[in-house]
Amino acid sequence: SNLFGLCPFHNEKTGSFSVSPDKQISHCFGCKKGGGAVNFIMEIENLSYPDAIRFLAQRAGMTVPEDDRDGMDKLRARLIALNKDAARYYYQVLQSEEGKAVQEYLDRRRISKKVAVNFGMGASPDSWDSLLTTMLKKGYSKSELLEAKLIVQTKQGRLYDMFRNRLMLPVINVRGDVVGFGSRVIDNSEPKYMNTPETSVYSKRHN
């Protein structure tokens, strides 16, 4: 009545991972990991309990009721939408004259356009506030841009883009949301690599 296969949580040559369709549970007789569907998704996708519920609900075409008493869910939705629009902006820049230097860098590294498109690669222009200006025109606020760590504020109150003159790579979670960015310079400036710091939608440990 049980199904057996190789355990996805540790390396083995003989299948010791058991799944019981009737009981809706799994168990590995080797590493001892197991539980229900939610536990499995939490382990295999490295998700918290609420995110595992959302993941399974999305697979099943169901809607998860959200507790919006403190407004955090609305903020999360806005930041995810902002990151998605920022990813689109960086992608468009790469296709334009502004992104020529980044495209030449990709050519030197023999990264084809097909690969760049598949991974949603983009380019941040060599400008102080191009993303800031574009996102403000789309209706996002300065506070949302700061919360998403897409812009930086100086002690004097000046705002500028965090990513400038860089190859941009969106960080996409298991639900398909853009939650942050990784980047690399195309010249000899420092830091060579720069990533989105921790935000309310991006956790390095979970993503």
Side-chain angles (χ1 to χ4, degrees), residues 40-86:
F40 179 82
I41 294 299
M42 287 173 67
E43 288 283 353
I44 202 75
E45 300 291 355
N46 194 24
L47 295 176
S48 64
Y49 180 82
D51 282 339
I53 293 293
R54 295 185 184 101
F55 178 93
L56 288 167
Q58 188 178 47
R59 288 281 298 270
M62 297 171 64
T63 302
V64 178
E66 300 285 359
D67 183 358
D68 191 36
R69 286 176 297 179
D70 59 1
M72 281 302 296
D73 290 319
K74 283 185 178 179
L75 176 61
R76 282 177 57 85
R78 285 286 292 176
L79 296 186
I80 287 172
L82 170 56
N83 280 330
K84 187 175 182 179
D85 280 336

Side-chain angles (χ1 to χ4, degrees), residues 171-187:
V171 178
I172 301 172
N173 67 14
V174 294
R175 291 190 288 165
D177 300 324
V178 179
V179 293
F181 294 90
S183 74
R184 190 198 193 283
V185 293
I186 56 173
D187 52 27

Side-chain angles (χ1 to χ4, degrees), residues 12-32:
E12 60 179 9
K13 293 182 178 179
T14 303
S16 60
F17 188 76
S18 170
V19 176
S20 171
D22 293 335
K23 296 179 181 178
Q24 292 289 292
I25 58 173
S26 62
H27 177 75
C28 177
F29 291 94
C31 68
K32 307 304 181 185

